[in-house]
């Protein structure tokens, strides 16, 4: 006799209870219980008919649940569509207000030959149209039955195929395949292999630097001044307080002059032992008047500060510094600290840097680390922070600890004046005067120290236009310098190891090879291998090693880890600018001598704002001229009237469509990793080309 389960059926829930609540404008389901066991077990029970009715009821309820889910999904899709339309409208507005990067200003025309500027873009444009034509050709061949999932072709089959069985298209395509296998694939594969070798060498260099940084942290290695120097500082003004000259070079930087002058005037150093030079190269009369008035205010407060303006403004920053060092009173000073106009040193900056010179007669430079007041302002500043965090914490710190040499960063550093004079002083021959003096000082035997725990706040460029010009100068200048310094490096009396480090690692690997292979491998060779599949780039070159290197780069800035993928894509996007700059500097093209002051936004740290408030309170009783406030208001009103616009970058846009075309071709070969890399890299180029990263330009 079969057991009865009526008692279970009576106590069990009948149907599938659903609790539904209304959330305007959508319905949402809160709870859904599954069917009871009695719905499945008691098949022979007299209550089977009731079970069938219950099942029908369950089916209707399940239908309603599915309809509610579908309604909710439709609401989500509607929200996504609305967001995409809003984003598209914003993009359209920014593009509508955009200006082509080929629209040069008068300053650009003076610094750069238009023919040189468009030559690189013309090459990319020809490459793009050729790829579009080849994509159409390959798609037509695909629908004709030419399916190549791998680069290994049956050449004997193609050669043996009689012409009578081929139509004209098949004949053309078979000859194209044979031509690319015979003539195009071998040199392309050779170039790809060469770039892979350079890529691996550069990756090993980055890995070694990262291991060196790990060792420094593990052993807690850092430069420490001698105890007697620290004791002298603590003993008061009778201790170790050498004469220090502080220089603030600036040019038309009305956004930041107040905070930089205030920060330097608040340095904790005996006033009789310090002199501040404000080296103003501004050609705007109103800006000069504001800066001069600011200097006068601090002079009345007792600060030992001077205003200096050049009539003949040759040599950019190097010429400005060189002119200031020729003043007769400089011979009374032993050290010089340099701060760019947007840098804000802490009051104890000199007390944490100058003591390292005592007892180290061969020490020429003490360099502090940069920190950034606007690193979280937008995506562009976050990505820059990743790059510069690795540069300072890994590259500068490791080179400073193990070989006592690195490139001077141009600011936030203290030089021994004797080292500057011994090395030939400031020269205007390149746009990287800071790296120039560092190389020459190293060749003369001077040593450098990098202090990773001493920070000086500054600003990052917030617009892509400003960042792009800055990177162009930073990557064209080293190639100019390499051409000029190579004979001196070879003839110098430093050791063979130091010569190898300077020529191969410092210049060739990190300044030339890095931008060369980044652009060539990922922006030229990779798209070409999609149209010439007989030449291969392994997946580990495209994906795994770049991801590993990006992970190493992001370690000094762990809070930026969510931006690792945008960082990888953006670095490849910037390779266009860096490659163009490297070629310009190496071959002395017109744009190699372009110098544009990086645009500042004037963002201050909290400490600077407090010091400025205190200073303004002291001056309320007023020593300023009555028309100065009106002048400031007039300048602010003029800045507000300036319209912001986007720059449309044609090289980046052309490369975006090239990579997207290559990604479409990779679909025909079912190359998954290559497709996704090309797709996202193409989108990255598209966003940068439309100037959708960073702030708009005034």
């Amino acid at each position: 006799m079969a057991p009865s389960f009526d008692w279970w059926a009576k106590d069990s829930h009948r149907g599938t209870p659903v609790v539904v609540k209304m959330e305007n404008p959508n319905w949402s389901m809160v709870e859904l219980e599954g069917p009871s066991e009695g719905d499945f077990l008691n098949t022979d029970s007299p209550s089977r008919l009731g079970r069938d009715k219950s099942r029908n009821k369950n089916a209707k309820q399940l239908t309603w649940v599915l309809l509610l889910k579908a309604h909710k999904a439709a609401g989500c899709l509607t929200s996504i569509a609305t967001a995409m339309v809003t984003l598209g409208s914003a993009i359209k507005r920014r593009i509508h207000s955009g200006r082509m990067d080929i629209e040069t200003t008068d300053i650009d025309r003076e610094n750069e030959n238009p023919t040189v500027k468009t030559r690189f873009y013309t090459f990319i444009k020809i490459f793009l149209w050729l790829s579009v034509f080849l994509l159409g050709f390959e798609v037509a061949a695909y629908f004709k039955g030419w399916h190549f999932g791998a680069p290994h072709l049956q050449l004997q089959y193609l050669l043996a195929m009689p012409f009578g069985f081929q139509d004209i298209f098949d004949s053309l395509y078979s000859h194209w395949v044979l031509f690319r296998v015979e003539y195009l694939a071998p040199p392309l594969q050779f170039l790809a292999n060469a770039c892979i070798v350079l890529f691996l060498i550069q990756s090993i260099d980055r890995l070694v630097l990262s291991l060196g940084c790990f060792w420094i942290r593990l052993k807690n290695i850092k430069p420490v001044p001698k105890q007697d120097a620290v004791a002298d500082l603590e003993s008061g003004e009778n201790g170790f307080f050498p004469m220090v000259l502080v220089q603030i070079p600036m040019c038309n930087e009305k956004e930041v002059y107040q905070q930089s002058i205030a920060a330097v005037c608040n340095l904790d150093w005996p006033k009789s032992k310090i002199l501040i030079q404000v080296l103003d190269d501004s050609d705007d009369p109103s800006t000069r008047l504001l800066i001069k008035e600011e200097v006068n205010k601090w002079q009345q407060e007792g600060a030992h500060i001077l205003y200096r303006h050049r009539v003949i403004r040759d040599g950019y920053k190097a010429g400005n510094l060189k002119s200031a060092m020729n003043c007769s009173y400089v011979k009374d000073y032993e050290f010089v600290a340099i701060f760019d106009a947007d840098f804000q040193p802490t009051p104890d900056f000199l007390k944490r840097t100058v003591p390292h010179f005592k007892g180290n007669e061969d020490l020429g430079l003490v360099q502090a680390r940069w920190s950034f007041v606007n690193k979280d302002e937008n995506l562009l500043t976050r990505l820059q922070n990743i790059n510069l965090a690795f540069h300072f914490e890994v590259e500068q710190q490791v080179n400073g600890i193990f070989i006592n040499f690195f490139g001077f960063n141009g600011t936030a550093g203290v030089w021994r004046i004797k080292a500057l004079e011994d090395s030939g002083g400031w020269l205007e021959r390149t746009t990287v005067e800071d790296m120039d003096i560092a190389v020459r000082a190293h060749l003369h035997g001077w040593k450098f120290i990098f202090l990773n725990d001493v920070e000086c706040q500054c600003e990052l460029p917030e617009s892509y236009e400003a960042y792009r010009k800055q990177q162009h100068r930073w990557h064209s200048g080293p190639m100019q310098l390499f051409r000029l310094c190579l004979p001196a490096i070879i003839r110098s009396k430093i050791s063979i190891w130091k010569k190898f480090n300077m020529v191969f690692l410092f210049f060739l690997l990190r300044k030339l090879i890095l931008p060369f292979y980044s652009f060539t491998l990922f922006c030229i060779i990779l798209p070409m291998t999609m149209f010439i599949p007989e030449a291969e780039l392994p997946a580990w070159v495209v994906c795994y090693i770049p991801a590993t290197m990006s992970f190493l780069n992001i370690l000094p800035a762990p809070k930026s880890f969510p931006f690792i993928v945008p960082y990888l894509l953006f670095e490849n996007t910037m390779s266009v600018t860096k490659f163009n700059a490297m070629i310009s500097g190496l071959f002395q093209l017109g744009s190699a001598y372009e110098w544009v002051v990086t645009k500042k936004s004037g963002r201050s740290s909290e400490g600077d704002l407090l010091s400025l408030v205190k200073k303004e309170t002291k001056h309320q009783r007023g020593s300023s001229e009555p028309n100065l406030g009106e002048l400031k208001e007039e300048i602010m009103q003029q800045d507000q009237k300036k319209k912001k616009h986007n720059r449309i970058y044609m090289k980046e846009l052309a490369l975006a469509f090239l990579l997207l075309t290559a990604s479409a071709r990779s679909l025909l070969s079912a190359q998954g990793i290559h497709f996704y890399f090309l797709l996202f890299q193409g989108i990255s180029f598209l966003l940068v080309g439309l100037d959708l990263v960073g702030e708009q330009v005034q």
Side-chain angles (χ1 to χ4, degrees):
M1 180 177 176
S4 175
F5 294 95
D6 289 341
W7 61 274
W8 176 268
K10 291 179 182 178
D11 295 336
S12 64
H13 296 286
R14 294 191 180 274
T16 307
V18 181
V19 181
V20 180
K21 66 178 181 178
M22 184 174 183
E23 297 177 349
N24 285 330
N26 296 325
W27 293 82
S28 65
M29 181 181 64
V30 177
E31 182 181 358
L32 173 64
E33 293 185 9
S36 62
E37 294 186 21
D39 294 331
F40 300 99
L41 295 177
N42 197 5
T43 57
D44 298 329
S45 174
S47 59
R48 180 176 179 180
L49 182 60
R51 300 287 191 281
D52 294 338
K53 292 181 179 179
S54 178
R55 288 174 184 172
N56 292 334
K57 185 179 179 181
N58 291 342
K60 291 180 180 179
Q61 291 177 340
L62 185 60
T63 302
W64 280 107
V65 171
L66 293 177
L67 287 175
L68 290 174
K69 284 190 172 184
H71 186 67
K72 187 175 182 180
C76 292
L77 291 176
T78 303
S79 301
I80 293 174
T82 304
M84 294 300 294
V85 170
T86 304
L87 178 62
S89 300
I91 293 175
K92 184 178 179 180
R93 286 195 301 270
R94 294 192 70 170
I95 295 175
H96 182 70
S97 63
R99 300 178 184 176
M100 301 293 182
D101 60 344
I102 58 176
E103 299 175 6
T104 55
T105 62
D106 294 337
I107 297 177
D108 294 331
R109 292 189 185 96
E110 293 177 3
N111 294 331
E112 189 172 359
N113 186 349
T115 305
V116 174
K117 183 174 182 178
T118 58
R119 191 175 299 164
F120 188 41
Y121 168 61
T122 302
F123 167 75
I124 297 175
K125 190 164 60 173
I126 293 174
F127 194 22
L128 170 62
W129 285 114
L130 180 61
S131 66
V132 172
F133 171 76
L134 289 177
L135 176 62
F137 193 42
E138 294 288 344
V139 170
Y142 183 84
F143 286 106
K144 291 281 290 183
W146 294 82
H147 299 165
F148 297 117
H152 306 292
L153 304 178
Q154 300 293 332
L155 297 182
Q156 296 178 353
Y157 170 76
L158 292 173
L159 292 172
M161 184 181 295
F163 182 77
F165 292 98
Q166 297 178 333
D167 58 17
I168 297 178
F169 182 86
D170 289 335
S171 176
L172 287 175
Y173 190 77
S174 61
H175 282 81
W176 158 243
V177 171
L178 292 173
F179 176 77
R180 75 190 190 196
V181 170
E182 193 73 21
Y183 299 103
L184 298 181
L188 180 60
Q189 187 66 62
F190 175 80
L191 182 60
N193 293 338
C195 286
I196 290 173
V197 171
L198 297 178
F199 178 43
L200 292 176
I201 294 174
Q202 198 273 334
S203 300
I204 293 172
D205 173 63
R206 187 140 299 195
L207 179 61
V208 170
L209 288 173
S210 300
L211 292 175
C213 182
F214 174 76
W215 182 258
I216 290 172
R217 282 195 172 189
L218 182 65
K219 297 296 184 179
N220 195 25
I221 303 172
K222 62 179 181 180
V224 178
K226 295 184 177 180
Q227 291 297 325
D228 56 345
V230 179
D232 287 345
L233 284 178
E234 296 175 351
S235 63
E237 294 195 8
N238 295 325
F240 180 67
F241 288 98
M243 300 289 286
V244 177
L245 179 68
V246 181
Q247 296 177 330
I248 314 176
M250 57 179 63
C251 180
N252 295 327
E253 295 175 282
K254 60 180 178 292
E255 300 87 359
V256 294
Y257 73 94
Q258 280 186 308
Q259 62 199 45
S260 61
I261 293 176
V264 170
C265 288
N266 285 321
L267 287 172
D268 188 8
W269 203 256
K271 292 184 179 180
S272 60
K273 301 286 187 176
I274 187 173
L275 173 64
I276 302 168
Q277 289 180 316
V278 178
L279 310 177
D280 183 22
D281 258 5
S282 303
D283 56 4
D284 178 25
S286 60
T287 303
R288 291 204 304 267
L289 178 61
L290 291 173
I291 297 174
K292 190 173 183 179
E293 178 63 22
E294 186 71 15
V295 171
N296 291 335
K297 287 181 180 181
W298 282 103
Q299 286 177 341
Q300 295 174 9
E301 286 294 314
H304 199 188
I305 184 172
L306 298 175
Y307 175 83
R308 199 169 189 278
H309 176 74
R310 290 193 301 163
V311 178
I312 302 176
R313 301 166 54 249
D314 293 334
Y316 302 112
K317 181 180 176 181
N320 197 359
L321 294 173
K322 181 179 180 179
S323 175
M325 294 300 293
N326 289 331
C327 296
S328 59
Y329 52 79
V330 173
K331 66 179 183 299
D332 299 328
Y333 293 85
E334 188 176 354
F335 303 101
V336 56
I338 303 172
F339 301 99
D340 282 351
D342 60 316
F343 277 72
Q344 307 152 30
T346 56
D348 62 347
F349 181 88
L350 292 179
K351 286 188 173 181
R352 300 178 67 183
T353 54
V354 174
H356 289 271
F357 288 98
K358 186 174 184 180
N360 294 329
E361 296 301 323
D362 57 349
L363 180 61
L365 167 68
V366 175
Q367 172 73 59
R369 177 175 178 166
W370 300 358
S371 60
F372 310 103
V373 296
N374 60 338
K375 62 182 179 181
D376 298 323
E377 185 65 25
N378 54 44
L379 178 61
L380 179 62
T381 58
R382 291 177 185 271
L383 299 179
Q384 292 179 68
N385 180 56
I386 296 173
N387 239 346
L388 291 171
F390 182 88
H391 170 70
F392 285 111
E393 185 154 343
V394 180
E395 291 181 345
Q396 299 287 79
Q397 184 175 211
V398 171
N399 289 326
I401 291 293
F402 293 107
I403 59 177
N404 297 119
F405 169 71
F406 48 83
F408 174 47
N409 296 119
T411 177
V414 181
W415 276 94
R416 190 188 296 271
I417 294 180
K418 182 180 178 182
L420 291 177
E421 295 173 347
D422 184 43
S423 305
W426 299 102
L427 299 180
E428 310 99 320
R429 57 182 182 173
T430 70
T431 57
V432 284
E433 74 293 327
D434 45 9
M435 186 181 294
D436 189 357
I437 188 64
V439 169
R440 287 184 281 118
H442 183 61
L443 295 181
H444 283 78
W446 293 98
K447 295 181 180 180
F448 304 160
I449 284 180
F450 177 77
L451 302 179
N452 192 53
D453 56 345
V454 179
E455 296 184 357
C456 189
Q457 287 192 331
C458 61
E459 287 187 16
L460 290 167
E462 295 182 7
S463 68
Y464 179 70
E465 174 69 11
Y467 179 62
R468 179 170 167 265
K469 290 184 178 296
Q470 181 196 70
Q471 292 299 304
H472 188 279
R473 175 164 53 88
W474 285 5
H475 286 81
S476 64
M479 290 298 98
Q480 294 175 300
L481 183 61
F482 178 65
R483 289 169 53 101
L484 297 171
C485 285
L486 184 59
I489 295 173
I490 296 174
R491 294 193 304 265
S492 66
K493 298 179 180 180
I494 60 177
S495 65
I496 298 296
W497 155 245
K498 290 185 176 180
K499 290 182 180 180
F500 172 81
N501 172 71
M502 183 171 287
V503 173
F504 181 73
L505 296 179
F506 184 75
F507 276 114
L508 291 181
L509 185 60
R510 297 167 190 164
K511 303 297 187 296
L512 188 149
I513 291 177
L514 178 58
F516 172 78
Y517 89 76
S518 296
F519 174 74
T520 307
L521 188 61
F522 296 111
C523 300
I524 300 298
I525 294 178
L526 180 58
M528 289 182 68
T529 57
M530 297 299 103
F531 298 101
I532 307 175
E534 296 76 26
E536 291 183 275
L537 272 184
W540 56 269
V541 174
V542 177
C543 180
Y544 303 126
I545 290 188
T548 304
M549 292 301 104
S550 298
F551 177 76
L552 292 178
N553 281 11
I554 214 167
L555 284 179
K559 293 183 180 180
S560 302
F561 188 78
F563 302 95
I564 185 170
V565 174
Y567 170 74
L568 171 61
L569 298 175
F570 183 72
E571 280 301 291
N572 289 335
T573 305
M574 282 303 301
S575 66
V576 183
T577 298
K578 296 175 181 179
F579 178 83
N580 190 23
M582 181 267 293
I583 294 297
S584 299
L586 191 62
F587 297 103
Q588 301 293 292
L589 303 180
S591 61
Y593 300 96
E594 182 181 6
W595 179 286
V596 179
V597 177
T598 304
K599 180 68 176 177
K600 313 295 192 309
S601 60
R603 302 187 187 276
S604 301
S605 63
E606 184 178 353
D608 295 313
L609 291 174
L610 289 175
S611 66
L612 287 174
V613 169
K614 291 179 181 178
K615 179 174 68 67
E616 290 297 332
T617 302
K618 293 179 180 179
H619 290 294
Q620 277 181 354
R621 298 182 181 178
S623 60
S624 61
E625 299 177 8
N627 63 342
L628 193 62
E630 298 178 1
L631 179 60
K632 290 182 179 179
E633 292 181 2
E634 182 180 351
I635 292 176
M636 291 178 63
Q637 291 176 0
Q638 291 177 356
D639 291 340
Q640 292 175 355
K641 290 180 181 179
K642 293 180 180 179
K643 294 182 178 180
K644 292 185 176 182
H645 65 273
N646 280 38
R647 296 292 297 268
I648 308 300
Y649 301 100
M650 301 306 295
K651 290 192 293 290
E652 284 80 355
L653 283 181
L655 279 168
F657 292 117
L658 169 63
L659 293 173
L660 293 174
T661 303
S663 69
R665 171 62 182 87
S666 68
L667 286 176
L668 302 181
S669 302
Q671 294 174 295
I673 292 179
H674 297 70
F675 165 73
Y676 287 114
F677 181 86
L678 289 166
L679 175 65
F680 290 117
Q681 191 64 67
I683 294 173
S684 175
F685 269 103
L686 185 63
L687 294 175
V688 171
L690 297 176
D691 198 11
L692 298 178
V693 295
E695 300 296 327
Q696 291 179 302
V697 183
Q698 284 189 342

